[in-house]
Amino acid sequence: MSEENSQDPRRRYSSPVVDGPGKAASRAMLRAVGFSDEDFTKPQVGIASTWSQVTPCNSHIDTLAEQARLGADAAGGKGVIFNTITISDGIANGTEGMKYSLVSREVICDSIETVAGCEGFDGLVAIGGCDKNMPGCMMGLARLDRPSIFVYGGTILPGENHTDIVSVFEAMGAHSRGDIDRIAVKQIEETAIPGPGSCGGMYTANTMASAIEALGMSLPNSSAQNAVSQTKLDDCHAAGEAVLELLEKDIKPSDIMTREAFENAITVVIALGGSTNAVLHLIGMASTIGVELSLEDFTRIGKRVPVVADLRPSGHYMMSELVAIGGIQPLMKTLLDAGLLHGDCLTVTGRTLAENLADVKPYPDDQQIIMPLDKPIKAQSHLRILYGNLAPTGAVAKITGKEGTRFTGRARVFGSEEEAQARINDGTVVAGDVLVIRYEGPRGGPGMREMLTPTSAIMGRGLGNDVALITDGRFSGGSHGFVVGHVTPEAFEGGPIALVEDGDEITIDAEADVIEVNVSDDELARRRAAWRQPEPRYRRGVLAKYARTVSSASLGAVTDLPE
């Protein structure tokens, strides 16, 4: 080995770890895991794998990580696989365990930073397949700011009779209403999830995969490939190879994740009818890389970008069907040609977005999934940022228009998701109600649980057009109906949502972007004077640490804001 650290600029981080006689112990440890003399002279590429048997979204990622390692090795690097955690929203929904979901995003980010920072990886490939590990991976790459690529694990195939995980949740609601029996529910349960891959609609995983590709941090088409396919294996191998090119050119996430790139990501999310979680995650990712992004950017961009994708949960088709007609690349080419994307943004190919899209062919003429821009499903964004005396610092609504754009009803207030779920199931919740589920925010929950179980129960009971739901928690990408989440300030912080009482009239206007409780300022002041902050639900452990450090949802619910 050389006496001094290598002058190879591609080995900026690995050289101090393994070069020279003083690093013999480091090399000895690495020989035990397969390094040779030659390997110590190569750039090291960390492969962050989110493989786990915890969820079908990630159960195949060990195979994908191995392909990425082989790709890095083939291009002259030394790939090293390491793991980080994942949790399953689909399994944890409706339980106390769901409080760990958003928390896991921060744990994943921390763990990738920790391993790569300690081991001296020169470049990284991160492979994610479920809602929180994807932005968690991206935030980790952003913190490290070393040449990096994100790879999406891919979408699941449809279940029998065109079912998916949301079909199961809604079947449970239909059963509680008496529309179907337990045998029918079990049949859906047994066939809706046919194998590996992320939940099949334009839910949070597919939304974030599409956003990350539009951001320029994935290779073209990485977001639109089936989990179990040769194309996905090839994508991983190519990503491993591409990191060596990024090292050669010293292209880092901060060169790619610019404000204009985030605007591209927002544009594509809106066009696809994507998840409300994209608001939270994109703001969090931008914060981590040092780009200013706010709720107002979603409103501004949403005024000029239509919803054109007829995808679940509010539409008909699944991601695998979009994959079959070309994925999101033809849509992005259409958006670029219409002047709705910044074509000069750099991507992980080393080329600009416009250069990547130059030869993309349009969708087949007979496809019904992506509508023309001049005949959209909705002329403006379905992601509505609402303000008013119930949400002075903002709330996020997902209003496709199918459920209407305005709702006025009487408040029915619950202090937790479980309370609301019980009253939906027993028929207490009726048409005209506005369900208020509070103390589920980032600090109050803690963890900002998703409300997929209650929203699915509402749909299953046939109340999707007749009740609204507002919360300081979040929604799954699979939620649909008249729903408003991310209400800020949250109840635990004394936000106005904490002051609502049963029977108060609430108005939600997704055209004026207003959310109001129709109570006088004097009455709200009286209630505020009587309000007392509840005791924290957790005092030790990861949930307690999260509650003490997490920012407002309107700031991305990150845990490392500078003081």
Side-chain angles (χ1 to χ4, degrees), residues 266 270 278-279 282-283 294-302 385:
I266 293 171
I270 291 170
V279 179
L282 287 173
I283 291 176
S294 71
L295 295 175
E296 285 70 27
D297 291 308
F298 287 83
T299 297
R300 174 177 55 83
I301 294 169
I385 310 302

Side-chain angles (χ1 to χ4, degrees), residues 378-464:
K378 190 172 188 292
Q380 293 187 352
S381 177
H382 63 302
L383 297 176
R384 314 300 298 190
I385 310 302
L386 310 181
Y387 294 94
N389 68 356
L390 255 180
T393 54
V396 180
K398 184 178 182 180
I399 308 294
T400 66
K402 295 180 180 180
E403 57 284 284
T405 57
R406 196 175 191 278
F407 194 101
T408 297
R410 57 190 173 274
R412 196 178 291 275
V413 181
F414 304 100
S416 71
E417 178 184 358
E418 288 86 353
E419 290 179 26
Q421 183 66 29
R423 299 292 78 81
I424 296 168
N425 288 343
D426 70 12
T428 300
V429 172
V430 296
D433 284 346
V434 178
L435 281 68
V436 180
I437 305 179
R438 62 193 183 194
Y439 297 104
E440 290 285 5
R443 291 193 64 199
M448 207 178 179
R449 284 193 288 185
E450 290 181 351
M451 300 294 146
L452 180 58
T453 301
T455 58
S456 296
I458 287 167
M459 300 304 293
R461 291 186 69 85
L463 293 170

